[in-house]
């Protein structure tokens, strides 16, 4: 398969790239990779797909969020997650569908706090739930045997040092384990599903 992997240089992205290494991977990122993209800029997303050409799978392992106390959160803070992780990934799906071969797949990334909210995580929970809802509905319309799923990983062991204070009582997962869900989405038959790795 020819797979576009957005966010390939991140901790999760590197693990996903390794797990899918038997395929042809086009790595994309803001500052590194075969292709450069800013997912908050629709023109940048379009250019990336024009350069990539026809694809068998699109995988997104990227997206920024805002974490902070609700009492101090502004609309501008909240828009960080909306414009980046939510609309950025949705733009990848909306634009990418026109470059996706019959039988191809799109895989987006949410996270455990879509289902298990944490303190200071209102932005992240809202964004992750919206992504999962989008995929469930989009799956009904893609057609041509194309599929779309969301992977919802727990916090990663490799990043646990920075995130542990936000996740009391949670058990982090290795990035390599989370990456298996992306393999299941790309190579399997799931459609409109949220594949959890908790």
């Amino acid at each position: 398969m020819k797979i576009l992997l957005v966010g390939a240089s991140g901790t999760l992205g590197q693990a996903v790239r390794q797990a899918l290494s038997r395929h042809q991977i086009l790595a994309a990122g803001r500052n590194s990779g075969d292709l450069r993209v800013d997912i908050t800029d629709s023109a940048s997303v379009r250019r990336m797909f024009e350069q990539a050409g026809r694809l068998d799978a699109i995988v997104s392992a990227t997206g920024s969020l805002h974490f902070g106390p609700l009492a101090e959160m502004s609309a501008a803070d909240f828009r960080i997650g909306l414009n980046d992780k939510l609309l950025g990934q949705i733009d990848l799906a909306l634009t990418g569908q026109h470059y996706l071969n019959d039988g191809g797949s799109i895989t987006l990334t949410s996270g455990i706090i879509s289902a298990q909210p944490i303190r200071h995580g209102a932005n992240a929970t809202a964004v992750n739930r919206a992504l999962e809802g989008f995929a469930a509905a989009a799956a009904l319309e893609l057609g041509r045997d194309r599929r779309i799923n969301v992977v919802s990983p727990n916090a990663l062991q490799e990043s646990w040092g920075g995130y542990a204070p936000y996740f009391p009582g949670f058990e982090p997962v290795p990035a390599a384990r989370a990456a298996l869900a992306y393999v299941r989405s790309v190579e399997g038959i799931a459609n409109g599903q949220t594949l959890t790795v908790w």
Side-chain angles (χ1 to χ4, degrees), residues 45-88:
V45 170
R46 282 194 304 273
R47 281 193 303 272
M48 175 188 66
F49 280 111
E50 288 168 0
Q51 293 168 350
R54 303 301 301 178
L55 297 162
D56 298 303
I58 299 162
V59 177
S60 172
T62 190
S64 296
L65 295 163
H66 173 75
F67 288 91
L70 190 70
E72 300 171 11
M73 195 176 300
S74 66
D77 292 330
F78 205 86
R79 277 192 288 269
I80 293 170
L82 296 182
N83 291 333
D84 197 306
K85 188 169 185 180
L86 178 58
L87 293 179

Side-chain angles (χ1 to χ4, degrees), residues 1 19 42 50 64 70 78-79 103 108 128 140 145 159 187-188 194:
M1 294 184 190
S42 289
E50 288 168 0
S64 296
L70 190 70
F78 205 86
R79 277 192 288 269
L108 308 179
N128 288 340
L140 304 175
D145 293 322
S159 309
E187 298 181 1
T194 297

